[in-house]
Protein backbone atom coordinates (compact mmCIF):
# COMPACT_ATOMS: atom_id res chain seq x y z
CA UNK A 1 0.00 0.00 0.00
CA UNK A 2 2.81 2.35 0.87
CA UNK A 3 4.30 1.92 -2.51
CA UNK A 4 1.02 2.65 -4.17
CA UNK A 5 0.62 5.93 -2.38
CA UNK A 6 4.00 7.09 -3.54
CA UNK A 7 2.70 7.01 -7.05
CA UNK A 8 -0.43 8.94 -6.41
CA UNK A 9 0.38 12.61 -5.95
CA UNK A 10 2.75 13.30 -8.82
CA UNK A 11 0.23 11.96 -11.31
CA UNK A 12 -2.89 12.97 -9.49
CA UNK A 13 -5.02 10.54 -11.39
CA UNK A 14 -8.19 8.83 -10.36
CA UNK A 15 -6.00 6.48 -8.43
CA UNK A 16 -6.36 8.67 -5.39
CA UNK A 17 -9.89 7.41 -5.04
CA UNK A 18 -8.61 4.02 -4.14
CA UNK A 19 -5.78 5.38 -2.07
CA UNK A 20 -5.99 5.06 1.67
CA UNK A 21 -5.31 8.75 2.07
CA UNK A 22 -7.15 11.29 0.05
CA UNK A 23 -5.23 13.59 -2.20
CA UNK A 24 -4.72 16.96 -0.49
CA UNK A 25 -5.51 18.86 -3.67
CA UNK A 26 -8.74 17.01 -4.01
CA UNK A 27 -9.58 17.56 -0.38
CA UNK A 28 -9.38 21.29 -0.82
CA UNK A 29 -10.65 21.26 -4.37
CA UNK A 30 -7.63 23.06 -5.77
CA UNK A 31 -5.05 22.38 -8.45
CA UNK A 32 -1.32 21.86 -8.14
CA UNK A 33 -0.98 25.12 -10.02
CA UNK A 34 -3.33 27.06 -7.73
CA UNK A 35 -1.85 30.12 -6.07
CA UNK A 36 -1.20 30.30 -2.33
CA UNK A 37 -4.11 32.70 -2.03
CA UNK A 38 -6.46 30.32 -3.85
CA UNK A 39 -5.41 27.48 -1.58
CA UNK A 40 -5.98 29.59 1.48
CA UNK A 41 -9.39 30.65 0.29
CA UNK A 42 -10.32 27.07 -0.49
CA UNK A 43 -9.29 25.97 2.96
CA UNK A 44 -11.33 28.66 4.68
CA UNK A 45 -14.33 27.61 2.70
CA UNK A 46 -13.83 23.93 3.48
CA UNK A 47 -13.31 24.67 7.16
CA UNK A 48 -16.47 26.74 7.24
CA UNK A 49 -18.50 24.02 5.58
CA UNK A 50 -17.27 21.13 7.67
CA UNK A 51 -16.88 22.78 11.04
CA UNK A 52 -18.33 20.48 13.73
CA UNK A 53 -20.37 23.30 15.22
CA UNK A 54 -22.15 23.63 11.95
CA UNK A 55 -22.66 19.91 11.65
CA UNK A 56 -23.56 18.84 15.17
CA UNK A 57 -23.18 15.14 15.80
CA UNK A 58 -21.80 14.51 12.33
CA UNK A 59 -18.61 12.52 12.80
CA UNK A 60 -17.95 12.56 9.08
CA UNK A 61 -17.94 16.35 9.13
CA UNK A 62 -15.36 16.37 11.91
CA UNK A 63 -13.27 14.01 9.80
CA UNK A 64 -13.59 16.26 6.74
CA UNK A 65 -12.76 19.30 8.85
CA UNK A 66 -9.60 17.58 10.05
CA UNK A 67 -8.69 16.42 6.57
CA UNK A 68 -9.03 19.95 5.24
CA UNK A 69 -6.75 21.26 7.97
CA UNK A 70 -4.24 18.53 7.29
CA UNK A 71 -4.30 19.28 3.59
CA UNK A 72 -3.88 22.98 4.23
CA UNK A 73 -1.05 22.33 6.64
CA UNK A 74 0.85 20.91 3.70
CA UNK A 75 -0.41 22.87 0.72
CA UNK A 76 -0.41 26.17 2.57
CA UNK A 77 3.31 25.81 3.24
CA UNK A 78 5.56 26.33 0.28
CA UNK A 79 8.21 23.85 1.38
CA UNK A 80 5.81 21.13 2.47
CA UNK A 81 3.85 21.59 -0.73
CA UNK A 82 6.86 21.00 -2.95
CA UNK A 83 7.74 17.91 -0.89
CA UNK A 84 4.21 16.67 -1.31
CA UNK A 85 4.29 17.36 -5.03
CA UNK A 86 7.38 15.21 -5.33
CA UNK A 87 6.76 12.41 -2.90
CA UNK A 88 3.10 12.49 -2.01
CA UNK A 89 1.95 11.41 1.40
CA UNK A 90 5.13 9.43 1.73
CA UNK A 91 6.92 12.71 2.27
CA UNK A 92 5.24 13.02 5.63
CA UNK A 93 5.43 9.58 7.12
CA UNK A 94 6.85 9.23 10.58
CA UNK A 95 10.14 8.17 9.01
CA UNK A 96 10.45 11.56 7.39
CA UNK A 97 9.61 13.62 10.36
CA UNK A 98 5.87 13.24 10.20
CA UNK A 99 3.23 15.76 9.26
CA UNK A 100 0.85 17.82 11.25
CA UNK A 101 -1.47 15.66 13.27
CA UNK A 102 -4.61 17.34 14.39
CA UNK A 103 -6.38 15.67 17.22
CA UNK A 104 -9.30 17.99 17.38
CA UNK A 105 -10.86 21.22 16.34
CA UNK A 106 -8.98 23.17 18.98
CA UNK A 107 -5.62 22.03 17.63
CA UNK A 108 -6.64 23.19 14.22
CA UNK A 109 -7.78 26.54 15.51
CA UNK A 110 -4.49 26.95 17.32
CA UNK A 111 -2.56 26.15 14.20
CA UNK A 112 -4.55 28.30 11.81
CA UNK A 113 -6.12 30.80 14.13
CA UNK A 114 -4.15 33.58 12.52
CA UNK A 115 -5.67 32.72 9.22
CA UNK A 116 -9.17 33.06 10.57
CA UNK A 117 -8.22 36.16 12.45
CA UNK A 118 -7.17 37.95 9.32
CA UNK A 119 -10.26 36.79 7.58
CA UNK A 120 -12.93 37.31 10.15
CA UNK A 121 -11.35 39.96 12.28
CA UNK A 122 -11.95 38.00 15.44
CA UNK A 123 -9.70 36.86 18.18
CA UNK A 124 -9.61 33.21 17.35
CA UNK A 125 -6.34 31.84 18.54
CA UNK A 126 -6.79 32.81 22.15
CA UNK A 127 -8.64 31.25 25.01
CA UNK A 128 -8.03 27.98 26.66
CA UNK A 129 -8.28 26.03 29.82
CA UNK A 130 -8.47 28.03 33.00
CA UNK A 131 -8.70 31.33 31.23
CA UNK A 132 -7.44 34.00 33.56
CA UNK A 133 -9.88 36.86 33.76
CA UNK A 134 -9.98 39.95 35.89
CA UNK A 135 -12.66 40.08 38.57
CA UNK A 136 -15.62 42.45 38.51
CA UNK A 137 -15.29 45.93 39.90
CA UNK A 138 -17.75 47.06 42.54
CA UNK A 139 -19.28 50.34 43.65
CA UNK A 140 -20.23 51.61 47.04
CA UNK A 141 -21.37 54.85 48.60
CA UNK A 142 -19.28 56.80 51.05
CA UNK A 143 -21.15 59.32 53.20
CA UNK A 144 -19.04 62.14 54.63
CA UNK A 145 -19.51 65.23 56.74
CA UNK A 146 -18.19 68.41 55.18
CA UNK A 147 -15.60 68.60 57.95
CA UNK A 148 -14.36 65.09 57.09
CA UNK A 149 -14.11 66.11 53.46
CA UNK A 150 -12.14 69.19 54.43
CA UNK A 151 -9.60 67.47 56.63
CA UNK A 152 -9.48 64.04 55.04
CA UNK A 153 -10.29 60.99 57.09
CA UNK A 154 -10.35 57.25 57.23
CA UNK A 155 -13.79 55.76 56.85
CA UNK A 156 -14.94 52.23 57.19
CA UNK A 157 -17.26 50.85 54.52
CA UNK A 158 -19.05 47.57 54.58
CA UNK A 159 -19.52 45.87 51.24
CA UNK A 160 -20.73 42.47 50.17
CA UNK A 161 -18.56 40.85 47.56
CA UNK A 162 -17.93 37.33 46.40
CA UNK A 163 -14.81 35.69 47.72
CA UNK A 164 -13.18 32.47 46.70
CA UNK A 165 -14.81 29.51 48.43
CA UNK A 166 -12.50 28.52 51.29
CA UNK A 167 -13.19 24.82 50.82
CA UNK A 168 -12.22 24.50 47.16
CA UNK A 169 -10.20 27.71 46.98
CA UNK A 170 -12.25 28.79 44.01
CA UNK A 171 -11.53 25.69 41.95
CA UNK A 172 -15.22 24.68 42.10
CA UNK A 173 -14.20 21.03 42.42
CA UNK A 174 -14.61 18.86 45.50
CA UNK A 175 -11.28 18.79 47.31
CA UNK A 176 -9.36 15.71 46.16
CA UNK A 177 -11.11 15.55 42.81
CA UNK A 178 -9.65 16.90 39.63
CA UNK A 179 -11.60 18.72 36.93
CA UNK A 180 -11.64 16.95 33.60
CA UNK A 181 -10.58 18.54 30.36
CA UNK A 182 -13.64 19.58 28.37
CA UNK A 183 -13.88 17.23 25.42
CA UNK A 184 -16.06 19.56 23.40
CA UNK A 185 -13.42 22.25 23.11
CA UNK A 186 -10.39 20.14 24.13
CA UNK A 187 -9.84 22.41 27.07
CA UNK A 188 -9.59 25.60 25.06
CA UNK A 189 -12.76 27.08 26.39
CA UNK A 190 -13.51 28.48 22.97
CA UNK A 191 -15.04 27.02 19.88
CA UNK A 192 -15.36 28.36 16.40
CA UNK A 193 -18.86 28.84 15.20
CA UNK A 194 -19.89 29.30 11.64
CA UNK A 195 -22.46 31.88 10.72
CA UNK A 196 -22.95 31.54 7.04
CA UNK A 197 -19.53 31.82 5.59
CA UNK A 198 -18.29 33.85 8.53
CA UNK A 199 -16.78 32.19 11.48
CA UNK A 200 -16.54 33.55 14.95
CA UNK A 201 -14.84 32.37 18.05
CA UNK A 202 -17.31 31.74 20.83
CA UNK A 203 -17.25 30.53 24.39
CA UNK A 204 -17.54 26.76 24.56
CA UNK A 205 -21.15 25.94 25.41
CA UNK A 206 -20.19 22.74 27.21
CA UNK A 207 -17.78 24.22 29.75
CA UNK A 208 -18.78 27.89 29.44
CA UNK A 209 -15.24 28.82 28.62
CA UNK A 210 -13.60 27.16 31.58
CA UNK A 211 -11.93 24.54 29.41
CA UNK A 212 -12.70 21.93 32.01
CA UNK A 213 -15.68 20.12 33.34
CA UNK A 214 -16.15 19.50 37.02
CA UNK A 215 -17.80 16.20 37.80
CA UNK A 216 -17.47 16.37 41.59
CA UNK A 217 -18.67 19.80 42.59
CA UNK A 218 -17.45 21.40 45.78
CA UNK A 219 -20.15 20.73 48.38
CA UNK A 220 -19.74 24.09 50.07
CA UNK A 221 -20.15 26.43 47.12
CA UNK A 222 -22.05 23.91 44.94
CA UNK A 223 -19.51 24.38 42.19
CA UNK A 224 -19.60 28.15 41.96
CA UNK A 225 -16.18 28.52 43.53
CA UNK A 226 -17.46 31.62 45.31
CA UNK A 227 -19.38 32.72 48.30
CA UNK A 228 -20.75 36.10 49.25
CA UNK A 229 -19.05 37.71 52.14
CA UNK A 230 -19.55 40.95 53.96
CA UNK A 231 -16.27 42.76 54.42
CA UNK A 232 -15.28 45.93 56.18
CA UNK A 233 -12.78 48.07 54.40
CA UNK A 234 -10.90 51.11 55.54
CA UNK A 235 -11.05 53.91 53.02
CA UNK A 236 -8.49 56.67 53.21
CA UNK A 237 -10.28 59.82 52.12
CA UNK A 238 -7.96 62.60 50.95
CA UNK A 239 -8.73 66.14 52.07
CA UNK A 240 -10.84 68.15 49.67
CA UNK A 241 -12.99 65.47 48.06
CA UNK A 242 -16.30 66.65 46.69
CA UNK A 243 -19.67 65.28 45.71
CA UNK A 244 -19.55 63.40 42.45
CA UNK A 245 -15.97 62.25 43.01
CA UNK A 246 -15.06 58.61 43.19
CA UNK A 247 -12.34 57.00 45.19
CA UNK A 248 -10.90 53.90 43.62
CA UNK A 249 -9.61 51.11 45.83
CA UNK A 250 -7.46 49.04 43.52
CA UNK A 251 -7.85 45.31 43.88
CA UNK A 252 -10.76 45.48 46.32
CA UNK A 253 -13.35 44.20 43.85
CA UNK A 254 -14.22 40.59 43.27
CA UNK A 255 -11.56 37.98 42.62
CA UNK A 256 -10.86 37.01 39.02
CA UNK A 257 -11.27 33.61 37.42
CA UNK A 258 -8.42 31.12 37.63
CA UNK A 259 -6.33 33.32 39.87
CA UNK A 260 -6.93 36.42 37.77
CA UNK A 261 -6.52 39.80 39.44
CA UNK A 262 -9.30 41.29 41.49
CA UNK A 263 -11.45 44.09 40.16
CA UNK A 264 -11.50 47.49 41.87
CA UNK A 265 -13.87 49.10 44.31
CA UNK A 266 -15.22 52.53 43.44
CA UNK A 267 -16.58 54.64 46.29
CA UNK A 268 -19.01 57.39 45.33
CA UNK A 269 -18.57 60.38 47.59
CA UNK A 270 -21.67 61.90 49.19
CA UNK A 271 -21.17 64.90 51.44
CA UNK A 272 -24.04 65.90 53.66
CA UNK A 273 -25.13 69.53 53.78
CA UNK A 274 -23.56 71.68 56.43
CA UNK A 275 -25.70 73.88 58.62
CA UNK A 276 -23.36 76.85 58.36
CA UNK A 277 -21.16 76.44 55.29
CA UNK A 278 -22.15 76.20 51.68
CA UNK A 279 -19.58 74.83 49.31
CA UNK A 280 -18.75 76.39 45.97
CA UNK A 281 -16.00 74.11 44.67
CA UNK A 282 -12.99 75.06 46.78
CA UNK A 283 -14.60 78.07 48.40
CA UNK A 284 -16.91 78.03 51.38
CA UNK A 285 -19.65 80.56 51.85
CA UNK A 286 -21.37 81.47 55.09
CA UNK A 287 -23.74 84.23 56.17
CA UNK A 288 -23.20 86.22 59.34
CA UNK A 289 -25.95 88.46 60.75
CA UNK A 290 -24.87 91.67 62.45
CA UNK A 291 -26.82 94.56 63.81
CA UNK A 292 -27.13 98.04 62.32
CA UNK A 293 -24.91 99.39 65.05
CA UNK A 294 -22.24 96.72 64.46
CA UNK A 295 -22.31 97.42 60.75
CA UNK A 296 -22.07 101.13 61.41
CA UNK A 297 -19.41 101.08 64.11
CA UNK A 298 -17.47 97.97 63.16
CA UNK A 299 -16.98 94.92 65.32
CA UNK A 300 -15.01 91.71 65.78
CA UNK A 301 -16.18 88.30 66.90
CA UNK A 302 -15.28 84.62 66.48
CA UNK A 303 -16.83 82.67 63.67
CA UNK A 304 -16.52 78.91 63.26
CA UNK A 305 -14.25 77.57 60.56
CA UNK A 306 -14.51 74.11 59.06
CA UNK A 307 -11.60 73.17 61.32
CA UNK A 308 -11.42 75.64 64.18
CA UNK A 309 -12.47 79.25 64.59
CA UNK A 310 -11.45 82.66 63.35
CA UNK A 311 -11.76 86.17 64.73
CA UNK A 312 -13.73 88.04 62.09
CA UNK A 313 -13.11 91.78 61.87
CA UNK A 314 -16.01 93.75 60.51
CA UNK A 315 -14.94 97.24 59.57
CA UNK A 316 -17.09 100.25 60.39
CA UNK A 317 -19.47 101.13 57.61
CA UNK A 318 -19.98 97.57 56.36
CA UNK A 319 -22.96 97.42 54.05
CA UNK A 320 -25.65 94.73 53.96
CA UNK A 321 -24.57 91.99 51.56
CA UNK A 322 -20.89 92.94 51.74
CA UNK A 323 -18.61 89.91 51.46
CA UNK A 324 -15.46 89.48 53.46
CA UNK A 325 -13.00 87.11 51.81
CA UNK A 326 -10.82 85.06 54.12
CA UNK A 327 -7.99 83.71 51.99
CA UNK A 328 -7.08 80.04 52.32
CA UNK A 329 -9.83 79.19 54.80
CA UNK A 330 -11.96 77.24 52.36
CA UNK A 331 -11.71 73.66 51.19
CA UNK A 332 -8.39 72.15 50.16
CA UNK A 333 -7.89 71.04 46.58
CA UNK A 334 -7.36 67.27 46.70
CA UNK A 335 -4.73 67.50 43.97
CA UNK A 336 -2.71 70.59 44.81
CA UNK A 337 -3.66 70.77 48.51
CA UNK A 338 -4.05 74.53 48.04
CA UNK A 339 -7.05 75.83 49.88
CA UNK A 340 -9.92 77.90 48.60
CA UNK A 341 -11.30 80.92 50.45
CA UNK A 342 -14.01 81.46 52.98
CA UNK A 343 -16.51 84.09 51.89
CA UNK A 344 -18.38 85.68 54.75
CA UNK A 345 -21.49 87.44 53.60
CA UNK A 346 -22.67 90.11 56.03
CA UNK A 347 -26.38 90.40 56.76
CA UNK A 348 -27.53 93.49 58.58
CA UNK A 349 -30.49 92.62 60.70
CA UNK A 350 -33.24 95.01 61.60
CA UNK A 351 -34.61 94.31 65.08
CA UNK A 352 -38.15 92.93 65.04
CA UNK A 353 -38.82 94.07 68.59
CA UNK A 354 -37.54 97.14 70.33
CA UNK A 355 -37.15 97.78 73.98
CA UNK A 356 -38.51 101.20 75.06
CA UNK A 357 -34.93 102.42 75.47
CA UNK A 358 -33.93 101.26 72.01
CA UNK A 359 -36.96 102.89 70.51
CA UNK A 360 -36.15 106.10 72.29
CA UNK A 361 -32.61 106.05 70.92
CA UNK A 362 -33.72 105.27 67.40
CA UNK A 363 -36.30 108.08 67.43
CA UNK A 364 -33.57 110.39 68.56
CA UNK A 365 -31.40 109.15 65.72
CA UNK A 366 -34.17 109.78 63.24
CA UNK A 367 -34.56 113.28 64.56
CA UNK A 368 -30.84 113.94 64.12
CA UNK A 369 -30.96 112.49 60.61
CA UNK A 370 -34.09 114.57 59.97
CA UNK A 371 -35.82 111.42 58.79
CA UNK A 372 -39.52 111.09 58.88
CA UNK A 373 -40.49 108.04 60.94
CA UNK A 374 -43.85 106.50 61.84
CA UNK A 375 -45.56 107.73 64.93
CA UNK A 376 -44.97 105.92 68.15
CA UNK A 377 -46.69 102.66 67.37
CA UNK A 378 -46.72 100.99 70.70
CA UNK A 379 -49.77 102.66 72.12
CA UNK A 380 -51.56 102.39 68.81
CA UNK A 381 -50.83 98.68 68.62
CA UNK A 382 -51.86 98.19 72.15
CA UNK A 383 -55.13 99.91 71.42
CA UNK A 384 -55.60 97.72 68.42
CA UNK A 385 -54.87 94.66 70.47
CA UNK A 386 -57.37 95.64 73.09
CA UNK A 387 -59.94 96.31 70.44
CA UNK A 388 -59.62 92.87 68.83
CA UNK A 389 -58.74 90.88 71.92
CA UNK A 390 -61.22 88.07 72.64
CA UNK A 391 -62.96 88.35 75.98
CA UNK A 392 -61.15 86.57 78.78
CA UNK A 393 -62.50 83.02 78.99
CA UNK A 394 -64.44 82.42 82.18
CA UNK A 395 -62.49 80.13 84.53
CA UNK A 396 -63.87 76.60 84.37
CA UNK A 397 -65.76 75.30 87.35
ZN1 LIG B 1 -16.12 25.53 46.88
ZN1 LIG C 1 -15.39 23.34 26.61
Amino acid sequence: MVGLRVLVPPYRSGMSLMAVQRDYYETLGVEQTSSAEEIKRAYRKAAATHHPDRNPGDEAAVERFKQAAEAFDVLGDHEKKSMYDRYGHEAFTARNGGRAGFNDVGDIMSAFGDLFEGFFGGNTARGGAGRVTRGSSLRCELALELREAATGCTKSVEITRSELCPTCDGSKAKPGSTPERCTYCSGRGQVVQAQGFFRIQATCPACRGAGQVIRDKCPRCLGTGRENKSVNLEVKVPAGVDNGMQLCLRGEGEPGESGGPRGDLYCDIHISEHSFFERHEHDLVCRVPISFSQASLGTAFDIPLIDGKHRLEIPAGTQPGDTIRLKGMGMPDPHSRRRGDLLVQVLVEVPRKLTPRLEELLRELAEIEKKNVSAHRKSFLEKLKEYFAPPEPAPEE
Side-chain angles (χ1 to χ4, degrees):
M1 290 299 269
V2 170
L4 182 64
R5 272 187 274 148
V6 176
L7 297 173
V8 175
Y11 305 103
R12 300 197 58 257
S13 65
M15 285 182 83
S16 61
L17 289 172
M18 51 184 282
V20 172
Q21 196 145 22
R22 227 173 139 214
D23 179 14
Y24 287 155
Y25 288 101
E26 211 167 77
T27 300
L28 293 183
V30 290
E31 298 296 327
Q32 208 170 340
T33 51
S34 296
S35 69
E37 197 46 53
E38 285 172 318
I39 292 169
K40 207 188 273 183
R41 211 180 304 135
Y43 169 55
R44 283 182 189 137
K45 196 175 165 188
T49 312
H50 303 307
H51 195 280
D53 285 354
R54 222 182 163 187
N55 304 276
D58 186 354
E59 284 301 312
V62 175
E63 204 41 53
R64 283 194 298 273
F65 184 72
K66 285 183 186 174
Q67 280 170 4
E70 209 174 289
F72 180 68
D73 180 56
V74 171
L75 301 186
D77 181 293
H78 181 73
E79 213 170 294
K80 285 188 196 168
K81 181 176 182 289
S82 65
M83 288 280 284
Y84 181 71
D85 288 345
R86 281 162 71 193
Y87 303 111
H89 292 291
E90 190 64 16
F92 306 105
T93 56
R95 195 163 35 121
N96 295 325
R99 69 177 144 68
F102 297 110
N103 292 319
D104 54 43
V105 177
D107 279 346
I108 293 165
M109 288 317 299
S110 294
F112 301 130
D114 289 352
L115 183 68
F116 293 123
E117 204 161 79
F119 193 54
F120 307 110
N123 178 13
T124 51
R126 296 269 151 69
R131 262 180 323 142
V132 174
T133 55
R134 186 185 162 79
S136 313
S137 287
L138 301 172
R139 269 176 97 159
C140 70
E141 309 231 315
L142 193 62
L144 298 174
E145 302 278 329
L146 186 63
R147 185 184 40 81
E148 294 174 311
T151 56
C153 59
T154 303
K155 290 291 263 192
S156 164
V157 287
E158 191 180 338
I159 58 161
T160 302
R161 68 182 177 198
S162 69
E163 297 284 356
L164 296 180
C165 164
T167 299
C168 64
D169 206 21
S171 75
K172 303 171 187 177
K174 188 174 173 180
S177 74
T178 322
E180 289 168 29
R181 198 163 101 130
C182 173
T183 48
Y184 193 81
C185 63
S186 303
R188 273 168 181 83
Q190 303 270 299
V191 291
V192 174
Q193 287 177 342
Q195 288 184 348
F197 185 54
F198 292 94
R199 311 169 56 69
I200 51 161
Q201 184 102 338
T203 302
C204 170
C207 63
R208 294 211 190 94
Q212 51 190 22
V213 180
I214 290 148
R215 301 256 175 260
D216 283 325
K217 288 189 167 70
C218 166
R220 178 172 177 141
C221 62
L222 306 174
T224 61
R226 309 279 173 131
E227 64 181 26
N228 278 342
K229 231 177 152 181
S230 175
V231 282
N232 266 300
L233 293 169
E234 298 263 282
V235 184
K236 268 200 176 324
V237 182
V241 292
D242 202 350
N243 279 316
M245 286 184 179
Q246 260 184 347
L247 292 177
C248 176
L249 275 70
R250 296 252 173 258
E252 290 293 357
E254 304 205 320
E257 283 291 335
S258 308
R262 279 177 174 271
D264 301 327
L265 174 66
Y266 292 92
C267 299
D268 291 318
I269 302 280
H270 288 285
I271 300 171
S272 55
E273 274 193 23
H274 196 273
S275 55
F276 187 58
F277 295 111
E278 214 172 81
R279 185 175 186 171
H280 294 260
E281 293 186 18
H282 302 321
D283 291 338
L284 291 174
V285 176
C286 67
R287 285 173 191 88
V288 173
I290 57 172
S291 69
F292 167 72
S293 56
Q294 284 177 311
S296 309
L297 305 170
T299 183
F301 51 86
D302 287 341
I303 55 157
L305 293 180
I306 200 78
D307 46 2
K309 59 181 184 175
H310 174 75
R311 188 133 191 103
L312 180 70
E313 302 277 344
I314 295 191
T318 293
Q319 300 298 306
D322 272 4
T323 299
I324 298 166
R325 182 178 286 265
L326 301 175
K327 284 255 172 225
M329 291 186 188
M331 295 293 284
D333 183 311
H335 306 294
S336 69
R337 305 281 293 164
R338 268 184 42 200
R339 287 183 72 157
D341 302 334
L342 172 60
L343 305 173
V344 182
Q345 217 170 30
V346 178
L347 304 177
V348 176
E349 284 195 322
V350 175
R352 288 180 190 282
K353 273 186 177 170
L354 294 176
T355 61
R357 173 72 181 135
L358 265 179
E359 184 170 347
E360 195 183 318
L361 287 171
L362 284 175
R363 286 192 177 280
E364 208 181 316
L365 177 66
E367 243 168 68
I368 297 164
E369 287 179 339
K370 296 190 167 44
K371 298 272 168 152
N372 183 28
V373 293
S374 302
H376 198 285
R377 290 187 304 167
K378 197 174 175 186
S379 55
F380 174 69
L381 279 174
E382 265 168 2
K383 275 184 208 156
L384 211 63
K385 216 169 160 187
E386 275 161 26
Y387 187 79
F388 285 111
E392 290 278 332
E396 272 178 304
E397 304 285 327

